[in-house]
Amino acid sequence: MTDIPFNIDELREDIDTEAKLAAGRDGKGALPSDFWETYSAFANTDGGVILLGVSEKEDGVFEVVGVEEPDRVVQPLWNLLNNPQKVSRNLLTDASVKRYPTGNGRWVIEIEVPCASRKERPVFINGNPLTGTFKRLHSGDYRCREDEVRRMIAEQVEDARDAKVLHGFGLDDLNMESVDDYRNRLSAAKPA
């Protein structure tokens, strides 16, 4: 828990940020049912942040509403994260879940979902990897196709071919034109 007020200026939903109201039926707070699709999608893609107690207006701007009783959200989160019938893997630690006061007696809950490792994927929900595995594209969560899920499962048991150290080779054995091409593609795809 932190005493630093939550700052929402210039945040928008995108590939690594999702906002959910989390008000519940009585308006005091509840873990949204569609939280789990986003959790799976972030875990199976590049990770991301889920903001609970924040709504997205029609123009895409976020509005802080806050959650009146954050424990009504956080406790069920931990209970379900550790229930294999709900989600296949808990990737979160205590440091992944933060609470920020909104100034009106309410709280925003920030959940940082890390990217699952190759051996941890797929992260799926509701006990079935073929129907409960999601990925993140732009600002949406999309169900993975069966062939995508099967590839993730296959990669769990395969030793990564690119993780092996090849002895007896040096830089002279590399095609530097291919290396430069790879670097250019990588920097274009991920400038940071």
Side-chain angles (χ1 to χ4, degrees):
M1 190 170 351
T2 179
D3 291 330
I4 301 168
F6 186 73
N7 183 1
I8 198 150
D9 297 338
E10 299 182 23
L11 277 179
R12 301 287 183 275
E13 263 190 19
D14 58 19
I15 194 151
D16 62 0
T17 307
E18 176 78 21
K20 297 190 181 294
L21 188 56
R25 293 179 195 252
D26 62 3
K28 294 186 179 203
L31 190 63
S33 60
D34 63 348
F35 169 87
W36 298 106
E37 293 175 4
T38 303
Y39 176 83
S40 170
F42 281 159
N44 291 319
T45 312
D46 291 322
V49 174
I50 302 171
L51 301 171
L52 302 178
V54 176
S55 68
E56 182 183 13
K57 296 188 211 175
E58 286 186 29
D59 60 359
V61 174
F62 286 168
E63 177 182 24
V64 174
V65 177
V67 174
E68 188 174 322
E69 297 179 24
D71 286 336
R72 291 177 68 175
V73 176
V74 174
Q75 190 58 52
L77 169 70
W78 288 114
N79 291 343
L80 292 170
L81 276 168
N82 293 293
N83 177 348
Q85 273 93 36
K86 186 59 189 173
V87 64
S88 63
R89 186 172 302 275
N90 176 7
L91 298 172
L92 302 185
T93 65
D94 284 334
S96 306
V97 180
K98 298 179 181 89
R99 302 178 197 196
Y100 296 94
T102 63
N104 62 356
R106 293 174 172 259
W107 299 83
V108 167
I109 301 164
E110 178 186 80
I111 301 166
E112 293 182 49
V113 180
C115 175
S117 71
R118 180 183 302 197
K119 292 197 180 274
E120 294 171 318
R121 287 186 215 153
V123 174
F124 57 91
I125 60 174
N126 301 327
N128 187 338
L130 296 179
T131 60
T133 301
F134 292 81
K135 63 183 175 182
R136 186 76 173 186
L137 296 171
H138 188 54
S139 64
D141 305 323
Y142 299 93
R143 190 177 313 273
C144 289
R145 296 184 324 265
E146 185 175 328
D147 63 308
E148 292 173 307
V149 175
R150 291 193 188 284
R151 182 74 231 151
M152 286 184 217
I153 292 169
E155 287 178 352
Q156 284 181 342
V157 294
E158 286 180 5
D159 287 334
R161 292 183 182 112
D162 58 352
K164 292 181 182 175
V165 176
L166 300 176
H167 299 284
F169 293 92
L171 289 178
D172 293 336
D173 295 305
L174 293 176
N175 178 329
M176 292 314 288
E177 187 177 315
S178 294
V179 172
D180 290 339
D181 184 46
Y182 171 77
R183 285 181 174 165
N184 289 336
R185 287 179 186 214
L186 182 62
S187 68
K190 296 186 178 187

